[in-house]
Amino acid sequence: MIVLPLADSPIRCYQIHAYRLSIILNYPECLPWFYSNYIQVVGRTSHQEDLFNYSIDFHLATEEFHTAVPWLDFCPMSPNIFFEKLSCDVHDVLRYSIDEGHYLYTIVDEYYIPSRKAYQIEQKYYHDILIYGYDLANKLYLVSGFDQNMQYEKTSVPFELMEKAIHSAGAPITQIYKKNIKYELNMNLIKELLEDYMYSNNSSKRNMMNSNPLSDSHYYGMSTYDGFIEHLKGIQHNTSSKDIRIPHLLYEHKECMMLRIKYLTDLDRLKEPNEIISKYKMVRDHSLILRNLYLKMIITNNIGLVESLNSAVVKLKEIDMDISDKLLNNLVI
């Protein structure tokens, strides 16, 4: 059995973050980069017919999958070349890659993936997956991703089903491996991103050398709470779909900030750390209450909870702004 290490990612709302962080957070040398980033968030809206859609996500220097995390290198393998023109065996490609210490990221047809909602139910349901090991004795691949209960879990897939899932999707198989680079904790970046978060600045304008900035029409930082309130109004008027990822992402943001505060405290880069830790626990706990109340609304379909949710969002924004200001003023640059 070959099993590549996977750390517990503090971000699981979106698999794309969980996959990459579960790889790099195995290594202490990657922590300064993680804690210098994952501060800013961005809220986006879209309209489909009469529906108002809203989502929140972390904002990094680039949104491009292969360059967002400087610690990782990527090598996409074309199925047309490897499987059709070169007639490579899919299992040789997967196993040899893992033997070399390469994680594998690809799109699969989840009709063939056990522990998935679409398993044996909906064909050509394509979704991404991370393969981090294999069990040759039992002919199983070890994978991570959202299971049928929408929980981010480690599960297994029989060899023959993985082969069918890969061939059905026909997507590139990407080898992922850690690079050896040097990155020191960037206190100035932390300060700038925290200011962007507090004052709802478009952080993408700081990174225009390699990519165009995002639209100013998006919600940034604190203003994502305003977008959340618009989303709740839409639920009241039946023009928005419920989406637990919105409050859950906010909760994960607070978890990451809590981890960052403790990390900075250990490095003596924070004045009055005990007070800040104590107050930020209140922010994190309030975000958890908000998420659980939103989940209750989904489960009970009680739209009457929107008013309570609205008050909770307003309160969370207020206490978040207060402690973020204190955190900013107590950074030891």
Side-chain angles (χ1 to χ4, degrees):
M1 179 183 289
I2 304 295
V3 183
L4 302 181
L6 283 185
D8 289 331
S9 171
I11 303 172
R12 299 186 177 193
C13 186
Y14 292 106
Q15 289 186 160
I16 197 65
H17 296 301
Y19 290 156
R20 296 178 296 196
L21 291 177
S22 66
I23 296 173
I24 69 169
L25 292 182
N26 287 291
Y27 307 96
E29 63 267 28
C30 297
L31 294 179
W33 177 84
F34 173 70
Y35 287 120
S36 298
N37 291 275
Y38 286 96
I39 295 172
Q40 179 65 300
V41 290
V42 55
R44 293 177 172 85
T45 62
S46 64
H47 296 271
Q48 293 178 344
E49 297 179 353
D50 294 330
L51 283 180
F52 167 80
N53 297 313
Y54 183 62
S55 64
I56 303 176
D57 197 3
F58 286 89
H59 173 64
L60 299 177
T62 173
E63 297 192 322
E64 212 281 319
F65 176 79
H66 297 95
T67 58
V69 179
W71 284 98
L72 297 177
D73 235 338
F74 300 82
C75 180
M77 297 180 287
S78 167
N80 181 50
I81 294 175
F82 282 87
F83 302 141
E84 295 181 22
K85 294 184 178 180
L86 297 179
S87 300
C88 294
D89 179 80
V90 64
H91 303 297
D92 287 343
V93 172
L94 299 183
R95 294 203 303 271
Y96 291 161
S97 296
I98 294 170
D99 288 345
E100 289 296 314
H102 297 164
Y103 300 81
L104 296 165
Y105 172 85
T106 190
I107 305 296
V108 293
D109 184 349
E110 290 196 337
Y111 177 82
Y112 300 103
I113 305 296
S115 303
R116 297 296 188 269
K117 272 188 171 183
Y119 180 59
Q120 300 297 300
I121 295 175
E122 184 177 351
Q123 287 186 311
K124 300 190 183 304
Y125 187 88
Y126 302 136
H127 212 281
D128 57 341
I129 199 168
L130 184 72
I131 308 172
Y132 69 94
Y134 66 86
D135 179 349
L136 191 56
N138 294 300
K139 295 186 175 181
L140 295 171
Y141 288 108
L142 309 178
V143 304
S144 64
F146 287 115
D147 65 12
Q148 69 271 34
N149 299 314
M150 295 309 294
Q151 297 296 310
Y152 187 81
E153 299 288 352
K154 297 175 181 177
T155 56
S156 60
V157 182
F159 280 8
E160 68 274 13
L161 290 180
M162 180 62 81
E163 182 175 5
K164 291 178 180 179
I166 286 174
H167 284 314
S168 176
I173 299 174
T174 300
Q175 296 175 327
I176 307 177
Y177 50 97
K178 177 183 167 291
K179 294 189 292 187
N180 291 317
I181 65 173
K182 185 176 177 60
Y183 190 100
E184 296 181 356
L185 185 70
N186 192 332
M187 292 301 298
N188 284 313
L189 178 60
I190 291 174
K191 176 178 179 291
E192 291 171 355
L193 290 177
L194 191 55
E195 288 174 339
D196 285 352
Y197 176 77
M198 289 178 58
Y199 303 116
S200 303
N201 296 331
N202 182 350
S203 297
S204 67
K205 291 184 176 180
R206 297 184 183 275
N207 312 295
M208 293 190 287
M209 289 183 66
N210 298 318
S211 61
N212 292 323
L214 299 180
S215 171
D216 284 333
S217 65
H218 295 324
Y219 295 88
Y220 296 94
M222 287 290 173
S223 70
T224 57
Y225 292 117
D226 303 329
F228 195 171
I229 290 173
E230 291 301 312
H231 164 74
L232 291 173
K233 290 178 182 177
I235 290 177
Q236 271 187 320
H237 296 95
N238 202 31
T239 57
S240 287
S241 299
K242 305 179 191 72
D243 189 346
I244 189 60
R245 292 175 297 182
I246 300 172
H248 188 70
L249 191 284
L250 288 175
Y251 169 68
E252 289 188 334
H253 177 262
K254 310 314 169 203
E255 281 282 356
C256 288
M257 291 298 296
M258 193 78 231
L259 291 171
R260 179 176 292 102
I261 290 168
K262 292 178 178 178
Y263 182 78
L264 294 176
T265 298
D266 291 341
L267 296 178
D268 294 323
R269 305 308 292 265
L270 194 60
K271 294 177 288 186
E272 300 183 28
N274 292 335
E275 181 182 357
I276 292 175
I277 290 173
S278 177
K279 287 189 174 182
Y280 210 90
K281 283 181 180 178
M282 294 173 55
V283 177
R284 183 192 60 189
D285 292 347
H286 197 83
S287 69
L288 179 59
I289 292 171
L290 172 63
R291 188 201 67 177
N292 290 343
L293 185 59
Y294 192 103
L295 183 60
K296 181 179 179 180
M297 176 187 67
I298 292 176
I299 294 173
T300 63
N301 197 30
N302 181 3
I303 306 303
L305 291 174
V306 166
E307 291 298 331
S308 297
L309 282 164
N310 188 83
S311 298
V313 172
V314 171
K315 179 62 176 178
L316 179 57
K317 180 180 180 180
E318 177 185 329
I319 60 176
D320 190 1
M321 177 62 85
D322 179 66
I323 189 58
S324 294
D325 181 63
K326 189 167 188 65
L327 173 60
L328 178 64
N329 291 321
N330 282 275
L331 293 175
V332 178
I333 305 299

